[in-house]
Amino acid sequence: MNTADLGLPEEGREAHPQKGGGGRRVGVPSTALFTDQYELTMLQAALKAGTAERRSVFEVFTRRLPEGRRYGVVAGTGRVLDAVENFRFDADVIGFLRERKILDEQTLAWLADYRFSGDVWGYPEGEVYFPGSPIMRVEGTFAECVLLETVILSILNHDSAIAAAASRMSSAAGDRPLIEMGARRTHELAAVAAARAAYLGGFASTSDLAAGFRYGIPTVGTSAHAFTLLHDRERDAFQAQVSSMGRGTTLLVDTYDVAEAVRTAVEVAGPELGAVRIDSGDLLLVAHRVRQQLDELGATGTKIIVTSDLDEYAIASLAAAPVDAYGVGTQLVTGSGHPTCSMVYKLVARAESTDPAAPLVPVAKKSTGGKTSIGGRKWAARRLDAYGAAEAEVIGTGTVPDELAERQLLVELIKGGEVLAREPLDVVRDRHAAARAGLPLSATQLSRGEPVIPTEYVNGRSEGRAGS
């Protein structure tokens, strides 16, 4: 790693031309089979019953935050927009469904022409959310909306879990940059999505080149222990790396003896050595010893990067250590113990008939075990206290109170099937930083606790398009 590997600007270095700006658009195959079979069988039955074209409203929300979390982070919205746009039943997909005898010919013919033509509203990506928040609202006919349940939930549940972990880690790290290094700890495609979510949550860079290619995230990496072990002497490995990558590189110093490696690293690279990386041992103790040794050797500008199964708690414990950057892998890509957000996709309103002018009727599941839901198309607003900090997540149906009209959270993402709200990843990243900063200070505490602000429900007077 060079100085840029820390996620910090290097004087005279040209900025990444697409840093966080969306990267390169990569062709996405059909997402139509990222679907549970029951979505298709419901479609077939609704077509036969004559109810498939009833205007419907589905909402994504979670009934509770993962244990101990004080806020959630909306992530994956940009990927949802791509998935909806590419939700197409091409000839191969139709052929598969026909071969398996999953659907009848009438339904297959309907699917062959499927294009989502409805509207999608949602919390802007990077925003924070709380229990009950209508994170995404999908409106259209029952037929076109019900098919999107699984793909929307799989993206939002995964990406939001990673972003929440990343947000907690970046808060614990303060001004010290974080490097995402978890590609080898998860599915290869999940790794790319995780790197995107981590960058949104405050990480500075990733080791995953596919994420850099697709989303423009800064990428980093130099060498592993295998490179040192390849050579006859540690000095030979260091000399080879410095010769190839320059004195500003990062040398891994814990393959054998750390103190000896640090001495050799400075002898090879000189005081201009960019950084050393420590990947094992008592990181707090070792970091202090390495910092003292580097300073004594004249390498006062050499940075210290630590890795080794870090999570937000380990990062926080190193706050007083002379560490300049953290590399995080396993705990990040697994959501630091919470790999899903338990979001659900529920029908909350539907028309009385297939007449486009028919009024919407609120509907809701009623059950025991904490799985009830609240009917009606929701709006959401965040009420602030006298100091400008969030004090409540207010959710309601019908007319929005005047005092909350300027504090509404949902924005239009898709209108009439057309995507409206693609954004550069850096914009989303900045939005999350601002949203987190707008919460009470206790939001960033790592001790277990309830959501940092309560959710309040307001009964509305009608099922009109208030809040839209």
Side-chain angles (χ1 to χ4, degrees):
M1 298 180 188
N2 292 304
T3 306
D5 300 333
L6 301 181
L8 300 172
E10 179 180 351
E11 185 176 357
R13 182 173 62 91
E14 183 179 354
H16 192 292
Q18 293 179 312
K19 178 183 176 184
R24 296 165 176 81
R25 292 298 300 275
V26 177
V28 178
S30 169
T31 54
L33 290 184
F34 295 156
T35 306
D36 286 311
Q37 183 167 316
Y38 79 165
E39 291 161 25
L40 299 183
T41 55
M42 283 191 287
L43 168 65
Q44 178 173 294
L47 288 171
K48 286 184 177 296
T51 53
E53 297 303 313
R54 285 189 175 187
R55 191 160 53 101
S56 300
V57 180
F58 286 81
E59 287 177 352
V60 176
F61 63 94
T62 185
R63 296 183 175 93
R64 64 191 63 85
L65 297 179
E67 183 180 359
R69 297 289 167 89
R70 306 211 172 185
Y71 61 92
V73 181
V74 178
T77 307
R79 297 207 306 121
V80 167
L81 299 180
D82 290 341
V84 172
E85 198 170 56
N86 288 283
F87 205 88
R88 303 283 188 269
F89 291 83
D90 58 27
D92 287 341
V93 171
I94 295 293
F96 165 78
L97 297 173
R98 179 178 289 117
E99 177 186 338
R100 293 292 181 94
K101 296 182 171 55
I102 292 172
L103 300 170
D104 61 24
E105 287 300 322
Q106 177 192 4
T107 308
L108 291 175
W110 189 93
L111 290 175
D113 295 327
Y114 178 86
R115 300 289 186 274
F116 179 73
S117 62
D119 303 334
V120 177
W121 291 72
Y123 279 39
E125 190 166 18
E127 184 58 85
V128 295
Y129 70 87
F130 299 91
S133 296
I135 295 162
M136 187 168 286
R137 191 175 74 213
V138 182
E139 305 188 30
T141 67
F142 176 84
E144 63 181 340
C145 295
V146 73
L147 297 180
L148 300 176
E149 175 183 3
T150 299
V151 69
I152 288 176
L153 287 180
S154 64
I155 293 172
L156 293 181
N157 268 315
H158 174 269
D159 290 21
S160 297
I162 306 305
S167 179
R168 285 162 60 87
M169 292 174 188
S170 66
S171 177
D175 295 332
R176 298 171 179 177
L178 291 157
I179 306 162
E180 187 280 312
M181 304 170 65
R184 65 191 63 193
R185 302 297 189 222
T186 188
H187 184 280
E188 66 272 17
L189 298 182
V192 181
R196 181 185 184 278
Y199 187 73
L200 181 162
F203 274 58
S205 55
T206 178
S207 66
D208 191 291
L209 289 176
F213 177 80
R214 178 168 293 197
Y215 298 118
I217 302 169
T219 58
V220 301
T222 49
S223 68
H225 293 103
F227 186 74
T228 300
L229 296 170
L230 168 68
H231 293 80
D232 296 334
R233 299 183 305 164
E234 191 170 47
R235 178 181 295 272
D236 296 337
F238 289 173
Q239 287 176 331
Q241 185 173 325
V242 170
S243 176
S244 172
M245 305 188 72
R247 297 177 185 273
T249 193
T250 298
L251 296 176
L252 181 59
V253 295
D254 71 329
T255 306
Y256 304 118
D257 178 84
V258 172
E260 182 61 30
V262 170
R263 185 178 303 107
T264 301
V266 176
E267 288 176 359
V268 169
E272 299 85 8
L273 174 62
V276 296
R277 178 163 75 95
I278 307 166
D279 189 50
S280 60
D282 182 337
L283 297 179
L284 179 62
L285 176 63
V286 175
H288 276 286
R289 289 177 175 174
V290 168
R291 180 73 271 159
Q292 180 179 353
Q293 185 180 11
L294 287 170
D295 291 346
E296 289 173 351
L297 293 171
T300 56
T302 299
K303 309 293 186 183
I304 297 176
I305 303 171
V306 295
T307 54
S308 185
D309 291 328
L310 298 177
D311 62 9
E312 60 265 48
Y313 301 100
I315 292 168
S317 73
L318 292 168
V323 171
D324 297 285
Y326 306 93
V328 188
T330 302
Q331 292 301 318
L332 175 71
V333 299
T334 57
S336 195
H338 298 291
T340 180
C341 301
S342 299
M343 293 178 187
V344 295
Y345 183 93
K346 297 297 182 183
L347 180 66
V348 296
R350 50 87 174 166
E352 294 179 335
S353 70
T354 57
D355 183 345
L360 287 173
V361 178
V363 295
K365 175 181 178 179
K366 298 186 185 301
S367 67
T368 58
K371 298 187 75 172
T372 57
S373 56
I374 298 174
R377 180 204 277 123
K378 316 290 190 309
W379 52 261
R382 191 161 297 145
R383 191 173 68 238
L384 306 183
D385 64 17
Y387 300 96
E391 69 173 8
E393 193 87 340
V394 185
I395 299 168
T397 58
T399 304
V400 182
D402 291 342
E403 65 272 17
L404 295 175
E406 300 300 319
R407 300 296 309 168
Q408 293 188 74
L409 292 164
L410 277 76
V411 298
E412 196 165 24
L413 303 172
I414 296 176
K415 183 177 180 62
E418 296 296 321
V419 173
L420 303 179
R422 281 199 175 88
E423 298 178 297
L425 194 52
D426 274 335
V427 171
V428 175
R429 190 172 189 263
D430 291 343
R431 177 183 294 124
H432 173 63
R436 188 177 66 188
L439 296 175
L441 290 176
S442 58
T444 57
Q445 290 179 342
L446 296 181
S447 57
R448 295 188 180 278
E450 296 299 313
V452 70
I453 60 173
T455 300
E456 299 178 1
Y457 291 95
V458 177
N459 292 324
R461 296 188 295 272
S462 69
E463 273 301 308
R465 295 189 63 83
S468 298

